[in-house]
Amino acid sequence: GESYDDARLVLNASASEQYEMGRDAAKMFSLVETVPQFYTLINDVPCAINERPEGNGAVALGMRMGEGGTATLSLQRGGGDALVLVDKATGTITDLTTGSYTFTASAGECDDRFVLYFGDGATRIQTTTLSEGSTASDAYNLTGMRVGRDYRGIVVVNGKKHIRK
């Protein structure tokens, strides 16, 4: 019924953004083709382990779906700053440090649907816009608490997510 797959992203200031033996590990795909499989990309190489500096604060997350269906992405361990997942196919933005993301996908391989933003890159959007008639007091964080104008991170305004730097 259920299956899972891991991809590991390690932030290390002394690591390189390029593939490094001893730090990074290429993805070894399951022989069971129906299992959804996820990986990060280093120069188009699928990796199960990607150890890197913050760099530009973004990394591509690829997937291989043996059959179409529903999958959930979640963070098992983390620390510190937000880890924001952007689904470019739907425009959905999810902070994985506060929840998981469930989506549907067709069978096949896709390396350009998801991007993970971390560190300062998680809030690197330069401007935010409140919907017409909204005020900063109408903004809520992802736990549902009302937040003020100085709150940084993902906020919900009139049912839409915004990122404040």
Side-chain angles (χ1 to χ4, degrees):
E2 289 188 21
S3 57
Y4 72 94
D5 188 45
D6 290 326
R8 184 174 175 177
L9 177 64
V10 178
L11 298 181
N12 178 350
S14 62
S16 168
E17 288 188 30
Q18 304 302 313
Y19 188 91
E20 293 180 273
M21 296 290 288
R23 292 188 194 263
D24 303 310
K27 180 71 175 181
M28 303 291 287
F29 291 99
S30 172
L31 297 176
V32 180
E33 292 185 16
T34 58
V35 174
Q37 298 177 83
F38 297 89
Y39 47 88
T40 60
L41 292 158
I42 301 175
N43 296 328
D44 297 327
V45 175
C47 292
I49 300 173
N50 184 343
E51 190 167 338
R52 55 177 290 131
E54 281 194 24
N56 67 1
V59 66
L61 178 67
M63 68 177 173
R64 179 184 288 180
M65 299 284 284
E67 57 188 22
T70 301
T72 299
L73 296 171
S74 62
L75 182 65
Q76 290 183 359
R77 285 182 276 179
D81 296 330
L83 179 64
V84 175
L85 173 76
V86 176
D87 183 340
K88 295 190 288 184
T90 65
T92 304
I93 299 170
T94 304
D95 182 350
L96 294 175
T97 61
T98 61
S100 61
Y101 178 63
T102 300
F103 64 97
T104 57
S106 301
E109 198 166 319
C110 182
D111 292 345
D112 61 357
R113 178 172 176 172
F114 299 109
V115 179
L116 291 168
Y117 292 96
F118 48 87
D120 289 336
T123 57
R124 197 165 274 155
I125 293 177
Q126 299 298 317
T127 60
T128 59
T129 305
L130 295 176
S131 301
E132 187 176 325
S134 297
T135 66
S137 63
D138 295 323
Y140 298 87
N141 67 16
L142 293 178
T143 62
M145 288 187 344
R146 187 183 300 233
V147 294
R149 184 175 298 280
D150 294 333
Y151 183 85
R152 290 178 44 191
I154 299 174
V155 296
V156 178
V157 178
N158 291 335
K160 294 184 181 181
K161 291 180 185 173
H162 300 268
I163 299 179
R164 288 187 180 161
K165 180 172 179 162

